[in-house]
Amino acid sequence: MIIHPDLRPFLQRYFSRFMAAYFLSIYALAATFWLVWHTYCKACTRETVFPFSLFTLVVIFVTAHAAVVRGRNWGAWLVAGFCVGSIIIALPTYAYRPHIFIYSSALLTSLLALLVLNSTKYREMRVKLFEYRQQRKADKAAVAKRPKVRRARR
């Protein structure tokens, strides 16, 4: 396998920020999910709605982070929307007297994830990933323009 020469410096510079944003936002989402199901939805049926809602959130969340890796800016906006949504949904659960550690960690990790998403290095990483995406698109177009060589069958 051929490794691109820019990959190692890129990962050394940006991988920690990407993983910090990923794990902070996934913990914020998980803590908010727990708060919702233990405060607002105490009487809800958990046999059908619970796994479906969890599966839907995870699929959208993973798709958003995959979009960021592929150089799409809407993925970062979707992750930021998840974090803002976590804050908005978690704040009113205080009236139900939730577990204080989960409540405060849901708010703290959401805010920290937004801080990492807004950091200079994370923005630089998104610009670099967008440039790589444009480069891949140009390379693909160049390969498509090349004349195809047909080989004789034996």
Side-chain angles (χ1 to χ4, degrees):
M1 183 170 115
I2 299 172
I3 297 177
H4 197 273
D6 293 339
L7 182 64
R8 187 171 303 271
F10 178 82
L11 289 177
Q12 285 176 345
R13 181 161 174 87
Y14 302 118
F15 187 70
S16 62
R17 296 292 171 140
F18 176 76
M19 292 311 293
Y22 181 78
F23 285 119
L24 285 169
S25 56
I26 201 164
Y27 184 81
L29 187 69
T32 303
F33 192 79
W34 185 89
L35 285 171
V36 165
W37 279 95
H38 285 85
T39 55
Y40 300 137
C41 300
K42 275 189 175 182
C44 297
T45 60
R46 294 182 187 223
E47 290 81 26
T48 57
V49 179
F50 183 80
F52 180 72
S53 61
L54 181 63
F55 178 73
T56 304
L57 281 175
V58 167
V59 166
I60 294 170
F61 183 77
V62 169
T63 303
H65 278 287
V68 170
V69 170
R70 295 295 295 168
R72 309 245 181 214
N73 287 330
W74 59 265
W77 284 104
L78 196 57
V79 174
F82 268 120
C83 293
V84 169
S86 293
I87 293 170
I88 291 171
I89 291 170
L91 274 175
T93 62
Y94 189 71
Y96 293 93
R97 297 288 177 208
H99 193 279
I100 196 67
F101 176 74
I102 294 176
Y103 176 76
S104 59
S105 65
L107 294 177
L108 181 68
T109 55
S110 295
L111 290 171
L112 286 174
L114 286 172
L115 183 68
V116 170
L117 287 172
N118 197 30
S119 69
T120 307
K121 277 191 178 182
Y122 197 85
R123 288 179 181 209
E124 288 174 10
M125 179 193 72
R126 285 188 6 222
V127 168
K128 284 271 197 195
L129 289 170
F130 181 74
E131 290 170 359
Y132 290 150
R133 181 171 159 255
Q134 295 299 329
Q135 185 179 4
R136 282 192 309 267
K137 190 186 286 185
D139 291 345
K140 197 175 196 181
V143 167
K145 284 184 181 179
R146 254 190 318 197
K148 297 189 182 201
V149 177
R150 294 186 184 218
R151 296 183 182 165
R153 294 187 183 195
R154 295 181 186 184

